[in-house]
Amino acid sequence: MEPPESTAAEKVILQWDSTASEDARERMIFTGDRQEIERYLDAVDELQKAMSSASLSDSSSTTTSALQIAMARLEDEFRNILLSHTSPVEDEWLTESTQLEFASQEFELKEEIAESSSDKQFEHQESNSSSCYKTTSSIREVDLIPSDAVYDLRCIAERMIAAGYLRECIQVYASVRKSAVDASLKKLNVEKLSIGDIQRLEWETLETKIRRWIRAAKICVRVLFASERRLCEEIFEGLGNSADDACFMETIKSPAIQLFNFAEAISISRRSPEKLFKILDLHDALSDLMPDIESVFESKSSESIRVQAVEILSRLAEAARGILSEFENAVLREPSKVPVPGGTIHPLTRYVMNYISLISDYKQTLIELIVSKPSTGSRYSSDPNVPDMDLSEFEGQTSTLALHLIWIIAILQFNLDGKSKHYKDASLAHLFMMNNVHYIVQKIKGSAELREMIGDDYLRKLTGKFRLAATNYQRSTWVRVLHCLRDEGLHVSGSFSSGVSKSALRERFKAFNAMFEEVHRTQATWLIPDTQLREELRISISEKVIPAYRSFLGRFRSHIESGRHPENYIKYSVEDLENAVLDFFEGYPVSQHLRRRSDILIETRYDMLMADLISRGQTSVLTVQSSLRLFPNASTL
């Protein structure tokens, strides 16, 4: 005969049978009186005790039926408790990913500063939050469900698992919690995109998504997934068959794959130079998260998530190495052959130097990733399209990354040298090389990180190259002009004073005037954007031309002035030439005749305007061009 206690337990269970009672369908046990909750749980325990003490054949059908009814009821109660206390992670935990979106790339520096500030604010919020349970490294676990509700869920889970309903318990838990995780991911802007969908997006769109993903990944791993793991442990730990691990993976696996698929898609996407820095951002973020990923997904059942993260990190590193190699090749092979007007800085030079300046900002990461030396030297010694450069003199003194940067600068110069040959005027070709190598030197000097990696030895070599180009320019332009001011060929037999051939002297003045006017007309349209370099070259020209002209004029002026129409031969005073030199390398045309004193006021105003623009850092060709519209005789390039 069945024990009385079991009969009483069955009555309690049947009282809450929702299939038999309207009142039981409308009410939930665990929202009511605590005494009623304990009475129902005790009844379930009594049924389970009766079932375990009797053989299967001895168990009454009523006891078995009552226990099944109890499990169905507990499953409903379990689901209701979860639904009642499940919501996306609070907004305060998502501030890192939502408050730093800017509309334009030009605010990137401000964004980095703001993001750093946000990180500090985020950490402050986490460390001072009353809902923070524990801190392990950078992991911040929060209470997703109130502790009293967690206690009830564990009470139910213990009894369902003891009765053999582990699978049903996990399915209910995972279905509810996964919806909450999905909602949190949506708030973090983690979209449900396939790898193919991601790879079809434009890179400009992906750049924004990468920034969002980095912030979202931090929250997901350190807060969301870590808190879900802790909740599973609180409810299921110790209940057998690694129930907590199974429940965690059932809840998290799909959202985690959704999260990491984005980084995986980027890691295997088509490589191009503009992607390097965002890939490095992804690599750094994921590398920083790896200890937390290993901690959160430490169990055997979650090994696949750890492995996926490690593989993505490896592919991102390989992508960075591949992009750097492809960038080197792109610089070497850049095909443009149209000379830039005025011999100014080539867009390739600006692009490459800005690019390697950014590379230096990622020095720490790239030093670890770039372990192979650039392919130079004997391998290419027979290829005329590749510079034959031996980097062995720099090995041992610098990192492998620095060798790559030196190599990039070397192939940039090699390409620029080829482009200089498209100028028909040799002087302009030398000026072009001077401008570009000088720009390279200034960019290196302007970055402490870049200068440290490049080293002073190579920097001195570069400085020597642009100074050599300046010397070659002066020789190419001014030797033939100064040749007109020599004494040879002007004297005839007799004394020095009376033996000057006036016809030869007139031709010499005419030749000088014509050559100087041509140089002045042409080279006023040439451009040296750097103010100091422009002034230095003008001074160097003046130091060569002005004393020679003054001396020549002093020796032979009287011979011309004593004849007819001296103004046709001595057209310019020393002061006129000094003023004329100030026109050189401004990048705009001047009158076909040299300026007289009446022009000086206008040009002085222009110089003042340019000085103001330069002082404000507005030294681009476009800025110069727009400023020229203020002057009636000036035109744009």
Side-chain angles (χ1 to χ4, degrees), residues 116-258:
S116 174
S117 174
S118 175
D119 286 342
K120 292 177 182 177
Q121 178 187 4
F122 176 64
E123 291 171 6
H124 177 75
Q125 289 173 341
E126 293 170 328
S127 61
N128 290 281
S129 172
S130 59
S131 65
C132 185
Y133 174 69
K134 69 177 180 179
T135 298
T136 305
S137 181
S138 50
I139 291 175
R140 303 292 187 269
E141 295 172 344
V142 297
D143 290 328
L144 299 174
I145 294 179
S147 57
D148 55 345
V150 171
Y151 174 79
D152 289 341
L153 289 168
R154 183 171 177 86
C155 288
I156 295 172
E158 285 177 351
R159 287 155 179 84
M160 290 186 70
I161 292 170
Y165 285 79
L166 172 63
R167 186 70 249 164
E168 290 81 355
C169 189
I170 288 177
Q171 285 177 343
V172 170
Y173 179 92
S175 66
V176 175
R177 288 307 309 167
K178 182 179 177 298
S179 296
V181 174
D182 287 340
S184 295
L185 259 63
K186 187 175 182 180
K187 291 179 74 173
L188 287 166
N189 295 308
V190 178
E191 302 170 88
K192 289 186 176 181
L193 297 172
S194 69
I195 289 177
D197 292 335
I198 294 167
Q199 291 184 329
R200 282 189 289 271
L201 293 172
E202 293 293 329
W203 181 246
E204 290 75 13
T205 302
L206 281 175
E207 284 186 301
T208 300
K209 291 185 181 296
I210 287 171
R211 288 197 297 271
R212 291 175 178 171
W213 185 90
I214 289 171
R215 298 170 199 140
K218 293 177 184 178
I219 301 296
C220 285
V221 172
R222 293 172 174 168
V223 178
L224 189 58
F225 295 164
S227 299
E228 288 291 343
R229 182 197 60 178
R230 195 197 76 182
L231 183 59
C232 287
E233 290 172 350
E234 289 175 333
I235 296 172
F236 294 100
E237 189 173 31
L239 299 185
N241 296 320
S242 300
D244 54 334
D245 285 343
C247 195
F248 175 60
M249 281 307 293
E250 191 81 16
T251 303
I252 290 300
K253 186 173 183 178
S254 178
I257 290 174
Q258 177 187 339

Side-chain angles (χ1 to χ4, degrees), residues 521-552:
R521 182 187 64 79
T522 302
Q523 298 194 12
T525 65
W526 297 358
L527 180 63
I528 299 178
D530 185 86
T531 311
Q532 183 176 345
L533 181 62
R534 183 169 65 240
E535 189 58 31
E536 286 177 359
L537 193 56
R538 284 173 177 169
I539 290 171
S540 181
I541 291 169
S542 295
E543 287 175 346
K544 290 176 174 61
V545 176
I546 302 304
Y549 184 73
R550 180 185 290 111
S551 175
F552 190 80

Side-chain angles (χ1 to χ4, degrees), residues 290-499:
M290 281 308 301
D292 302 316
I293 292 171
E294 290 172 357
S295 175
V296 172
F297 299 98
E298 64 182 351
S299 66
K300 180 69 176 176
S301 61
S302 57
E303 183 181 14
S304 61
I305 302 298
R306 294 197 311 274
V307 169
Q308 184 186 17
V310 170
E311 289 177 347
I312 292 170
L313 191 63
S314 176
R315 282 195 290 268
L316 287 169
E318 185 57 37
R321 286 188 285 268
I323 288 174
L324 184 62
S325 177
E326 290 183 17
F327 175 70
E328 291 171 359
N329 189 58
V331 173
L332 183 64
R333 309 296 181 188
E334 198 279 326
S336 63
K337 295 182 179 180
V338 178
V340 291
T344 188
I345 299 163
H346 198 283
L348 177 66
T349 307
R350 294 186 185 276
Y351 176 72
V352 170
M353 292 311 299
N354 287 330
Y355 196 89
I356 67 172
S357 293
L358 284 172
I359 285 178
S360 69
D361 292 339
Y362 290 83
K363 178 180 74 171
Q364 202 58 49
T365 299
L366 285 169
I367 284 177
E368 295 175 5
L369 298 185
I370 306 301
V371 293
S372 299
K373 295 182 294 184
S375 301
T376 64
S378 59
R379 177 180 173 186
Y380 293 123
S381 58
S382 60
D383 187 349
N385 297 313
V386 178
D388 186 7
M389 181 179 184
D390 186 5
L391 292 173
S392 60
E393 63 178 298
F394 303 107
E395 293 178 16
Q397 305 173 20
T398 189
S399 65
T400 304
L401 173 63
L403 292 179
H404 279 269
L405 298 186
I406 292 171
W407 173 239
I408 290 170
I409 292 171
I411 58 180
L412 170 61
Q413 290 180 82
F414 184 80
N415 191 318
L416 292 170
D417 188 60
K419 295 183 189 307
S420 72
K421 293 177 173 56
H422 295 293
Y423 287 103
K424 296 179 181 179
D425 190 323
S427 297
L428 184 55
H430 293 310
L431 190 85
F432 170 77
M433 289 304 296
M434 180 198 71
N435 269 329
N436 282 269
V437 179
H438 178 267
Y439 180 82
I440 292 170
V441 169
Q442 294 305 109
K443 290 295 287 187
I444 295 171
K445 288 182 176 179
S447 167
E449 294 281 359
L450 188 55
R451 181 168 187 167
E452 180 185 352
M453 285 194 289
I454 295 299
D456 288 338
D457 288 345
Y458 191 64
L459 188 58
R460 279 192 290 270
K461 289 187 176 184
L462 290 171
T463 303
K465 286 185 178 181
F466 89 73
R467 294 197 182 282
L468 177 61
T471 300
N472 289 337
Y473 152 77
Q474 292 185 73
R475 287 175 179 165
S476 180
T477 297
W478 296 105
V479 167
R480 59 192 178 91
V481 176
L482 293 173
H483 193 65
C484 298
L485 302 180
R486 74 193 189 284
D487 288 356
E488 291 82 0
L490 295 180
H491 299 287
V492 294
S493 59
S495 65
F496 182 84
S497 59
S498 61

Side-chain angles (χ1 to χ4, degrees), residues 68 161 273 453 569 630:
Q68 291 173 343
I161 292 170
M453 285 194 289
Y569 307 103
L630 298 173

